[in-house]
Amino acid sequence: MLLTGPTAVGKTGLATALAERFGLEIISADSMQVYRGMEIGTAQPAPAELARARFHLCGVRDPAEPFSVKEWLGLCEAAHRDIESRGKTPLYVGGTGLYLRALRWGLFEDLPDSPDVRADIERELADRGPAALHARLAEIDPVAAARIAPADGVRIVRALEVHALTGRPISELQNQWEEPRPRFEHVMVTLVAPREALRGRIARRTRQMLEAGWIDETRRLLERGIPKTRHCFKALGYREIADHLEGRIGLDELARLIVTRTGQFSKRQMVWFRRERPALWVEADFDRPERTLRRVENVLANILGRFV
């Protein structure tokens, strides 16, 4: 089973309860939870959750290293085989839509990448901002530009990188996902919540993370000399905290800015998830989490033994 949903909707807590109930092991499908030393800001499983369930692919890469969906798929396959070799069933959990789509339907065939080309485009992104690069993308690939939000620097950079390497629009190369065939039998459950309720949870979680030492966590990354152009700094909140540490943002403004940008990100996630079919949508009940658990337990009980 795949469990997804927008940030702060409660995926990790729910997955932990499901793993405990059904004897599952959890594989993280979060592009930023792979990094060590970023446990607070990427909302990696807390010690209490780690004591209740086994998690894979959290804290497996140094933040100074680049990381790609292709690498993640390779690690997933190894974790999946390991879990099944012990008679267990994997539960994929995370909100990185591209990772889940690649897991379900596969990667583009022969889609190249170049760390040097990507680094050049990322430097341009840092200098000129995502809107300027989005405008350039609209000139060379209007179809992709229509699909990608002007503020979505990660996807803009990737589209420009592919075009630079192939001379072809990424939208043209994405045709393999128009009528995809699943890579394995599975069901995807998308956990959703009313927008205002989710925003309240985002605000509370942001305050808790800041109080738990998120600023010090970011300071340690900067003290290591990791530049803000590195992939790890694309994780929500880290660049804002870096600006705070450099004196450009006050503490009160910092919290508000992170909440606002996280809320904007959750909206983009929902746009993506609405396109991901087939999927079963389950509404989270924040006041009665046991009700959410029962809803998903019913789904899982019906399919356990059929999915891989």
Side-chain angles (χ1 to χ4, degrees):
M1 188 176 90
L2 285 60
L3 176 63
T4 190
T7 185
V9 78
K11 297 184 292 295
T12 300
L14 176 60
T16 302
L18 289 170
E20 201 170 37
R21 168 75 172 81
F22 291 98
L24 311 175
E25 293 190 17
I26 298 166
I27 300 178
S28 171
D30 186 297
S31 63
M32 296 300 166
Q33 287 188 353
V34 299
Y35 289 120
R36 290 187 292 272
M38 298 177 64
E39 291 81 8
I40 297 171
T42 63
Q44 293 183 33
E49 292 165 329
L50 292 170
R52 294 169 58 197
R54 185 169 180 178
F55 287 78
H56 299 259
L57 307 194
C58 291
V60 297
R61 279 288 186 274
D62 187 272
E65 299 175 0
F67 193 73
S68 69
V69 61
K70 185 176 181 180
E71 291 175 271
W72 178 79
L73 279 177
L75 293 173
C76 271
E77 290 171 1
H80 196 123
R81 288 193 300 269
D82 173 57
I83 292 168
E84 289 192 327
S85 73
R86 290 180 279 100
K88 300 286 188 176
T89 300
L91 171 62
Y92 291 90
V93 181
T96 303
L98 178 61
Y99 281 27
L100 290 168
R101 182 181 287 182
L103 177 68
R104 300 178 83 190
W105 314 117
L107 280 172
F108 304 141
E109 293 183 7
D110 300 321
L111 194 63
D113 62 81
S114 167
D116 291 337
V117 171
R118 184 165 58 252
D120 288 342
I121 299 172
E122 287 177 341
R123 280 192 289 271
E124 186 179 357
L125 175 70
D127 291 340
R128 302 182 59 203
L133 269 65
H134 189 272
R136 177 148 64 90
L137 178 62
E139 294 177 0
I140 61 176
D141 189 353
V143 175
R147 294 174 179 171
I148 300 174
D152 192 344
V154 174
R155 294 178 67 203
I156 294 169
V157 167
R158 181 58 177 148
L160 292 173
E161 177 190 6
V162 169
H163 186 270
L165 293 170
T166 67
R168 298 170 62 191
I170 195 172
S171 59
E172 179 183 313
L173 299 170
Q174 287 174 331
N175 287 338
Q176 75 171 61
W177 278 341
E178 292 301 318
E179 295 181 5
R181 294 182 180 181
R183 297 174 67 239
F184 58 94
E185 186 181 0
H186 67 274
V187 64
M188 186 165 85
V189 174
T190 303
L191 197 62
V192 297
R195 183 176 297 177
E196 286 306 311
L198 184 61
R199 183 174 176 82
R201 275 180 67 94
I202 290 171
R204 288 191 295 275
R205 191 176 76 163
T206 297
R207 289 195 299 271
Q208 291 167 356
M209 291 160 71
L210 289 170
E211 291 168 359
W214 194 3
I215 293 175
D216 288 336
E217 185 176 79
T218 306
R219 182 184 287 110
R220 287 191 290 271
L221 295 177
L222 295 171
E223 288 175 347
R224 285 188 53 192
I226 300 175
K228 289 189 290 183
T229 56
R230 286 290 189 190
H231 182 259
C232 67
F233 272 99
K234 293 184 174 71
L236 290 167
Y238 284 90
R239 286 181 176 170
E240 288 79 9
I241 294 175
D243 287 342
H244 165 69
L245 290 171
E246 292 167 359
R248 289 194 289 273
I249 298 176
L251 188 59
D252 291 339
E253 183 186 357
L254 171 65
R256 288 195 297 271
L257 191 57
I258 293 175
V259 170
T260 297
R261 291 183 175 170
T262 305
Q264 293 167 344
F265 176 70
S266 73
K267 291 178 186 177
R268 294 197 298 273
Q269 285 180 298
M270 289 308 302
V271 171
W272 181 286
F273 295 143
R274 289 188 185 100
R275 297 198 298 262
E276 295 301 295
R277 294 290 185 268
L280 301 172
W281 284 37
V282 174
E283 183 165 327
D285 189 328
F286 295 146
D287 295 326
R288 289 165 290 187
E290 69 282 354
R291 179 173 293 184
T292 307
L293 177 60
R294 284 198 302 271
R295 290 169 181 169
V296 180
E297 278 182 341
N298 290 336
V299 173
L300 188 54
N302 288 333
I303 64 169
L304 196 59
R306 291 198 300 108
F307 74 91
V308 177

